[in-house]
Amino acid sequence: MANRDTRNTETFGAGARVQVMLPLPIAGPYDYRVPADLTVGSGSFVEVPLGSRRANGVVWGPGGHDIEETRLKDIEAVLDVPPMPAAMRAFVDWVADYTLYNPGAVLRMAMSVPDALHPPRPKTVFARSAQTPGDGFRMTPARQRVLEEAADGPPRSAADLARAAGVGTSVVKGLAAAGLLDVGQATFGPRWPVPDPKWPGPELSVEQGGAAARLVASVGAARFAVSVLDGVTGSGKTEVYFEAIAAALEAGGQVLVLLPEIALSAQWLARFEDRFGARPAEWHSDLTQATRRAAWRAVADGTIRLVVGARSALFLPFENLGLIVVDEEHDASYKQEEGVVYHARDMAVVRAQLGECPIVLVSATPSLETMTNVQRGRYGYLHLPHRHGTASLPDISAVDLRADPPPRQAWLSPPLREALCEVLGAGEQAMLFLNRRGYAPLTLCRHCGHRLHCPRCTAWLVEHRLSRRLQCHHCGYGAVLPGSCPECGAADSFAACGPGVERIAEEAAALLPEARIAVVASDTVRGPAAAAEVIRRIVDHEIDLLIGTQIIAKGHHFPMLTLVGVVDADLGLSGGDLRAAERTFQLLYQVAGRAGRAERPGRVLLQTFQPHHPVIEGLLSGDRDRFLEAEAADRKARHWPPYGRLAAVVVSGRDVGRVEAVAAGLGRVAPSGDGIETLGPAPAPLSLLRGRHRRRLLVRTRLDIDIQGLMRHWLGQIKVPGGVRLHVDIGPYSFL
Ligand code: ADP
Ligand code: ZN
């Protein structure tokens, strides 16, 4: 596959004026001059003077004339790293334009590893020389061992060689001085073996084969095209897109796979390694600095062929993308809420378009946004309606909690208790799902009714009994449970209200004293290694009952798991989130999909107070499309996305008066007109977060209106005083 990057060929010689983009939150690039001894190209990483310091940036193109010749400064150096590809520069500009963040702030995400801009420093290494020991040389056992090690292995540092031979480094240095070891320079670091696309995959069913063939054709066309791979859980979607990955690798391109919960991707990594004979490069926040640095450079120079990563992997400097896969495309965690606010699935589509490569969006419950694009004919559609092999979809039923209430101070209803006993008695596994960490979401004083809340947020403190602390799930504030009520002084008066996963575990342990129980939540399982270990224990049946939050709901394949109990199916349904119903449906469908993935049939019990809610009815009937249609009709009628555009502004600061003044000022000049509506300012549901007061405004427009232009004009009219921040969110997913 040829490198399609043509803009990189533009070069600038001595005296030329060029624009350099810096990874700083500034509005645009600055002009610099190319000095006599340098040549730079578009995309070159360069070092430039900035005030009294130096900064690294990227040559963005020919300079403008915004600064006088005499004040123009020279570029100091061109860095020894492949230039940023044109598609990547265009992507930075595009994301900035769309999200209303400064291009420098976006570029910072694309230069997240400053160390990677310099080649790794070579280290001194030792290898066996051709020389034989002379007459005066005294051979000792230690020296003998080093020479043997050196003869057998690759060149290594003195420390590594000494360790391998079980001697001190002075022995190695003595042998080098005697000429028996050659001394050289080499660089070390992680290396990524090349995945082998020729390894055979499983034999695909006719249905799978048809979908795979279309994806492979789309990879072969090497043009931008979006395919939606919609298939029920366990239908073999992963096997199908592995075929597309094989085709892209074979054609010489790079592949990017995005996963929502990279910390829990152990099973995916193992499957990839089985299929392609090599572990892929990973990209997420849990890597060491050395790996991060080596991986960034190896993506830039093309030696890494496939990256599986979290949303930030989108900003890696791929020079030759042949395919992007977004698995679980509907997942809300693709929306980045901190720093530059963007949606990684949507931006992945943009990246594919700018890189002229195909992209596959994969899900068992595609988002309404994606399905609307299918209906509008913009995205291709591939459907896998059946589970692979003999596995059938689980049987889903509701437990009406009004008719079958759990015992007092308990949360598992009689039918669910019975099912648990049955399944565990038969030697199978069960899972209880509750999307709430900790022991109890609310602690109150029995005496005066005071509720323990976070001093910095509009939120209750959640009791975590395992760690013996109260925690704010919004800001991380923690405290020990006070001995007496801070309001009325009553001693030992606190009562835990409502369940979290820890409390469910307590109830289950009392009910099933023999069962081996594991609680899986982001605070009980920290990091990819711990997650991989839990998954292994489940697969190896060292655990009978799994109690977890959404981190366990996605993607995993547990052959012995035959019962899923959803403790509170209504949990996500209330609240002012326009996607509440859709998101609950997707989450519960995913959770249900964990049951009965192998020969043994699965069963799902949804505990609910609203068995006739459209979400619950949709899950019970298995009629996803009807649910989606009803949801679409509802949004269409109210012009919510994807049938309208939405943007949010949150004004925040410690001084409530200033915050309100800015919010009111924005309200006075708010966009209005045909097809435009502004809601607010109003206190955000989290009206206090980390000690900052928050006011929200929401702009909703018709689809044909340029909401970015409107927002730019609007926000440009307001002067924001110190201590007040505007958080702009185009296409918000969070309404807190
Ligand atoms: P999905 O991604 O749609 O949930 P998977 O790709 O994880 O489905 O497939 C579910 C299980 O079935 C996996 O263990 C997978 O290896 C297996 N499987 C799917 N298709 C095939 C096939 N054609 N031959 C053998 N095993 C398959
Ligand atoms: Zn808090």
Short mmCIF file of all heavy atoms in Angstrom, two decimals, residues 454 456-457 459 472 474-477 690, ligand 2:
data_model
loop_
_atom_site.label_atom_id
_atom_site.label_comp_id
_atom_site.label_asym_id
_atom_site.label_seq_id
_atom_site.Cartn_x
_atom_site.Cartn_y
_atom_site.Cartn_z
N CYS A 454 -20.79 15.07 50.20
CA CYS A 454 -19.44 15.57 49.92
C CYS A 454 -19.38 17.06 50.21
O CYS A 454 -20.27 17.79 49.79
CB CYS A 454 -19.09 15.28 48.47
SG CYS A 454 -17.48 15.94 48.00
N ARG A 456 -17.52 19.08 48.82
CA ARG A 456 -17.13 19.82 47.63
C ARG A 456 -18.09 19.65 46.46
O ARG A 456 -17.96 20.32 45.44
CB ARG A 456 -15.74 19.35 47.17
CG ARG A 456 -14.68 19.51 48.26
CD ARG A 456 -13.32 19.28 47.72
NE ARG A 456 -13.10 17.88 47.33
CZ ARG A 456 -11.89 17.36 47.19
NH1 ARG A 456 -10.82 18.09 47.36
NH2 ARG A 456 -11.75 16.10 46.85
N CYS A 457 -19.04 18.71 46.57
CA CYS A 457 -19.92 18.41 45.44
C CYS A 457 -21.38 18.29 45.91
O CYS A 457 -21.63 18.01 47.07
CB CYS A 457 -19.56 17.08 44.78
SG CYS A 457 -17.85 16.94 44.26
N ALA A 459 -23.38 15.90 46.04
CA ALA A 459 -23.44 14.45 45.92
C ALA A 459 -23.33 13.82 47.30
O ALA A 459 -22.67 14.35 48.18
CB ALA A 459 -22.29 13.96 45.05
N CYS A 472 -16.64 10.17 47.73
CA CYS A 472 -17.42 10.89 46.73
C CYS A 472 -17.04 10.32 45.37
O CYS A 472 -15.87 10.32 45.01
CB CYS A 472 -17.10 12.38 46.78
SG CYS A 472 -17.88 13.27 45.41
N HIS A 474 -17.67 11.55 42.58
CA HIS A 474 -17.47 12.60 41.58
C HIS A 474 -16.11 13.25 41.68
O HIS A 474 -15.52 13.62 40.68
CB HIS A 474 -18.57 13.66 41.69
CG HIS A 474 -19.90 13.10 41.33
ND1 HIS A 474 -20.24 12.81 40.03
CD2 HIS A 474 -20.95 12.73 42.09
CE1 HIS A 474 -21.46 12.29 40.02
NE2 HIS A 474 -21.92 12.23 41.25
N CYS A 475 -15.60 13.44 42.89
CA CYS A 475 -14.32 14.13 43.02
C CYS A 475 -13.26 13.31 43.74
O CYS A 475 -12.11 13.74 43.84
CB CYS A 475 -14.51 15.46 43.76
SG CYS A 475 -14.77 15.26 45.53
N GLY A 476 -13.63 12.12 44.24
CA GLY A 476 -12.64 11.29 44.91
C GLY A 476 -12.42 11.64 46.37
O GLY A 476 -11.61 11.01 47.04
N TYR A 477 -13.16 12.61 46.90
CA TYR A 477 -13.04 12.96 48.31
C TYR A 477 -13.30 11.72 49.15
O TYR A 477 -14.21 10.94 48.86
CB TYR A 477 -14.04 14.07 48.65
CG TYR A 477 -14.18 14.36 50.14
CD1 TYR A 477 -13.32 15.27 50.76
CD2 TYR A 477 -15.15 13.71 50.90
CE1 TYR A 477 -13.43 15.53 52.12
CE2 TYR A 477 -15.27 13.96 52.26
CZ TYR A 477 -14.40 14.86 52.87
OH TYR A 477 -14.52 15.11 54.21
N ARG A 690 -16.27 19.63 42.98
CA ARG A 690 -14.91 19.97 43.42
C ARG A 690 -14.83 21.41 43.92
O ARG A 690 -13.88 22.13 43.64
CB ARG A 690 -13.90 19.81 42.28
CG ARG A 690 -13.72 18.39 41.86
CD ARG A 690 -12.54 18.24 40.91
NE ARG A 690 -12.45 16.86 40.51
CZ ARG A 690 -13.10 16.35 39.47
NH1 ARG A 690 -13.84 17.10 38.71
NH2 ARG A 690 -12.99 15.07 39.19
ZN ZN B 2 -17.06 15.37 45.84
#
